[in-house]
Amino acid sequence: MNGSLAGFEERRLAELKEHVAARAAAERAGRPHAVAERAGWPRRRMVLAVAAGAAIAAVASVVTVSSMGGADRAYAVTKDSDGIVYVTVRDFRDAAGLTRQLKSLNVPAIVDFVPAGQKCKEPRAEPVTDIPRGLYYAPRNIPGDDAGSGWQMQINTKLFKPGQTFVWTLAVDPVYGGSDTSTILMRDPVAPCELVPDDVQHVVPKMPFPEVTSLGGYRVEGKTVGEVLPEIEKRGLKVTYLITEPPPERYPGDPYLMYPTKQGTPVGADWFVWQADEPEKGVIRLMVTQKLQKP
């Protein structure tokens, strides 16, 4: 991890780099408005994208172990004889407990849990730009955890300088309901997390979701809300909406954008459905926009 990543949320940065690179490649190929296809998008939940670092090493010569929970522990923190701390998190709600465990192992850290649709008011402190290489590796999915229910990372406690705090923000992804995390090294003092509405745009990719089984093969894409609702109601299903907007006119064909602060806007029968999923059995989520995206 180098200083150029300081202050950025890993998943957003990974999305941005991949999306820009794909668009640039399309433009070089003479297709300035080609859809930037993305490999590896999760089908129902956005979890974590790896931004930097190598695979997390196995813990050797463990001298300290801290954990909370039973067989499916909410989190586990271990420290080896070289001062490397390994963190595995599966439940993000006990941010205060994880903060205490990290500090007990000499990791100067603050962990905050942020509900969907909110964010911590910025600035909280001055980000550190000269991050030592190897101080930490960005959070990554737990190997073998197909459900994407948590993440793991490692931190070298010997590389912290006095007056620095490692700030984690654990959040619920507002689109897919999975977990988001930002990892930022800041200079003390760090202000508490003051929750404010999330006004950041979130990318909602156009992608082949698994078939919505409760609809029995009925396709919603390209239809209006007024056309789709009777079919859903006939099947006794509930409906929720994810309100989205087409991308700027300069980039037709790109993924739609979602703003948490605009959720809850009344959806009209003439709105268009461009994608749907089934976040839980019996609940159909329609991704809608007031106007169709230009091809």
Side-chain angles (χ1 to χ4, degrees):
M1 187 76 177
N2 56 40
S4 63
L5 292 180
F8 287 91
E9 198 263 35
E10 276 83 1
R11 185 173 70 80
R12 303 285 177 244
L13 182 58
E15 286 180 3
L16 179 61
K17 285 183 175 179
E18 186 177 348
H19 191 61
V20 170
R23 179 182 293 149
E27 291 180 351
R28 287 196 298 272
R31 298 178 289 114
H33 300 310
V35 175
E37 295 183 352
R38 293 177 46 83
W41 278 100
R43 293 189 178 274
R44 290 185 61 183
R45 298 174 61 197
M46 182 64 70
V47 188
L48 296 173
V50 178
I56 295 179
V59 177
S61 183
V62 174
V63 295
T64 309
V65 178
S66 300
S67 64
M68 189 279 281
D72 297 324
R73 292 177 296 183
Y75 55 79
V77 185
T78 62
K79 184 178 181 181
D80 68 17
S81 56
D82 291 327
I84 306 298
V85 169
Y86 301 87
V87 184
T88 300
V89 180
R90 295 183 183 276
D91 188 325
F92 305 91
R93 291 169 295 182
D94 189 11
L98 181 55
T99 297
R100 290 192 298 270
Q101 296 287 8
L102 290 168
K103 289 184 176 180
S104 72
L105 298 183
N106 296 320
V107 178
I110 295 175
V111 186
D112 295 299
F113 174 77
V114 179
Q118 296 183 293
K119 65 178 182 179
C120 294
K121 183 178 179 180
E122 298 291 347
R124 297 180 62 183
E126 177 188 357
V128 175
T129 57
D130 56 339
I131 301 175
R133 183 174 296 276
L135 173 67
Y136 73 98
Y137 292 103
R140 57 197 304 125
N141 291 338
I142 300 171
D145 182 6
D146 295 334
S149 58
W151 52 260
Q152 62 182 16
M153 69 179 300
Q154 70 180 51
I155 309 164
N156 189 339
T157 58
K158 294 181 179 179
L159 296 180
F160 283 104
K161 296 179 180 179
Q164 294 181 345
T165 297
F166 193 52
V167 180
W168 272 324
T169 303
L170 309 178
V172 176
D173 186 281
V175 177
Y176 296 95
S179 59
D180 269 351
T181 180
S182 66
T183 51
I184 306 173
L185 186 64
M186 295 185 175
R187 303 186 192 280
D188 295 339
V190 178
C193 175
E194 178 184 346
L195 294 176
V196 295
D198 180 7
D199 57 359
V200 177
Q201 67 181 31
H202 297 265
V203 173
V204 186
K206 297 170 68 176
M207 62 193 222
F209 276 84
E211 182 177 313
V212 181
T213 56
S214 294
L215 290 180
Y218 178 79
R219 308 295 298 183
V220 302
E221 294 83 355
K223 297 182 173 68
T224 64
V225 170
E227 293 174 310
V228 171
L229 279 182
E231 183 69 25
I232 295 177
E233 293 171 352
K234 180 177 67 176
R235 297 171 182 269
L237 303 172
K238 296 181 180 180
V239 179
T240 63
Y241 298 101
L242 185 72
I243 298 172
T244 64
E245 295 181 7
E249 295 293 334
R250 181 181 176 187
Y251 300 116
D254 280 1
Y256 283 81
L257 303 176
M258 189 280 289
Y259 296 85
T261 52
K262 296 184 180 181
Q263 301 309 301
T265 300
V267 174
D270 59 342
W271 285 39
F272 292 95
V273 181
W274 59 272
Q275 194 160 267
D277 66 354
E278 192 171 4
E280 58 182 285
K281 189 65 175 178
V283 178
I284 307 301
R285 181 173 64 166
L286 301 179
M287 302 178 192
V288 299
T289 185
Q290 279 188 290
K291 61 180 180 178
L292 282 175
Q293 186 176 179
K294 291 183 179 180

